[in-house]
Amino acid sequence: MEDRTTSRIVDLSHVIEEGMVTYKGLPGPHICDFWERQASAANYDDGSTFQIGRIDMVANTGTYLDSPFHRYADGADLSELKLLSLADVPGIVVRQPWENGLALEPEHLKAFDVAGKAVLIYTGWDRHWRADAYFDEHPYVTAETADWLADNGAVVVGIDSCNIDNMHVRARPVHTRLLGAGIPICEHMTNLGCLPDEGFRFAAVPPKVKGMGTFPVRAYAVLG
């Protein structure tokens, strides 16, 4: 049996909270009880109480994963994603602090072997989470970099920014290229600065929902 004392798990996801805004223009989640504890007590002679929660939210809430269906009507939806690209994937961190420039260019990646890897882009932008500054000019990946990642065999790409594309222009070339190549995208990540450059395993698995292209994930890395 694996000795879990030699491993460390780093949570890479934001908490989903009532009313929070993940993306301007999209509603925040509404979280409530469907089955309240006090009312449920009448159903059991031993005094047991249970809560069943209810959440109303758009799919792009919190830290979430985009499948090809998010961009392409004939692309793989959440139910069709292969676990090989989402769970127990060897990971690397590309460090491009936002203070050094907002655009991640191919030159920032040429020293990395990304084939078969989860490529996680650390910018430090998650420090602005839940603040207005989060939606200002933000770190992003260029179209040329998306081409390089796809051509060199990345299997999933994540970023700790509000969008992997530059959302202040009217085009989404990175989503188009990566999702077109079958490479899922994980956005709104956090804690990437706590990871080593390599030597960890990454996971970001959404529920197996038919007909949806995006959903929140509990992304994490296992070190050791």
Side-chain angles (χ1 to χ4, degrees), residues 93-115:
V93 175
V94 177
R95 302 186 192 279
Q96 177 63 15
W98 64 272
E99 298 95 336
N100 296 341
L102 298 181
L104 184 78
E105 302 285 1
E107 65 193 57
H108 300 130
L109 291 168
K110 289 183 177 177
F112 295 91
D113 175 12
V114 302

Side-chain angles (χ1 to χ4, degrees), residues 2-214:
E2 179 185 2
D3 181 4
R4 295 177 64 86
T5 63
T6 64
S7 299
R8 183 166 68 92
I9 297 177
V10 179
D11 194 342
L12 306 176
S13 296
H14 290 291
V15 176
I16 294 176
E17 302 177 80
E18 168 74 23
M20 60 179 259
V21 175
T22 299
Y23 193 97
K24 277 192 174 181
L26 298 180
H30 174 54
I31 304 170
C32 62
D33 289 340
F34 176 76
W35 194 354
E36 297 179 351
R37 293 186 187 279
Q38 184 176 358
S40 73
N43 298 322
Y44 304 100
D45 294 333
D46 63 357
S48 297
T49 62
F50 296 91
Q51 185 262 6
I52 296 178
R54 180 170 182 168
I55 182 168
D56 179 9
M57 67 178 185
V58 296
N60 293 45
T61 296
T63 302
Y64 55 77
L65 188 92
D66 292 337
S67 73
F69 185 73
H70 177 53
R71 174 65 179 81
Y72 297 98
D74 59 351
D77 64 17
L78 296 174
S79 72
E80 297 167 320
L81 292 174
K82 304 300 184 185
L83 286 176
L84 286 175
S85 65
L86 304 174
D88 197 31
V89 183
I92 61 172
V93 175
V94 177
R95 302 186 192 279
Q96 177 63 15
W98 64 272
E99 298 95 336
N100 296 341
L102 298 181
L104 184 78
E105 302 285 1
E107 65 193 57
H108 300 130
L109 291 168
K110 289 183 177 177
F112 295 91
D113 175 12
V114 302
K117 306 283 180 58
V119 180
L120 308 182
I121 302 162
Y122 165 77
T123 72
W125 198 250
D126 56 331
R127 74 188 65 184
H128 300 304
W129 176 250
R130 302 295 304 274
D132 288 342
Y134 190 67
F135 305 104
D136 291 343
E137 297 293 332
H138 63 90
Y140 61 92
V141 170
T142 65
E144 295 76 14
T145 303
D147 287 336
W148 190 94
L149 287 165
D151 292 342
N152 285 275
V155 298
V156 59
V157 179
I159 191 168
D160 58 0
S161 177
C162 53
N163 204 303
I164 200 167
D165 270 297
N166 181 359
M167 68 179 186
H168 297 288
V169 300
R170 292 173 59 85
R172 295 293 183 268
V174 180
H175 282 81
T176 296
R177 182 67 169 98
L178 294 183
L179 297 179
I183 302 171
I185 299 167
C186 191
E187 294 173 309
H188 305 279
M189 302 187 75
T190 190
N191 292 333
L192 295 183
C194 297
L195 299 180
D197 292 344
E198 57 185 355
F200 62 90
R201 313 291 291 192
F202 174 71
V205 183
K208 202 172 181 179
V209 183
K210 191 68 180 173
M212 290 189 69
T214 301

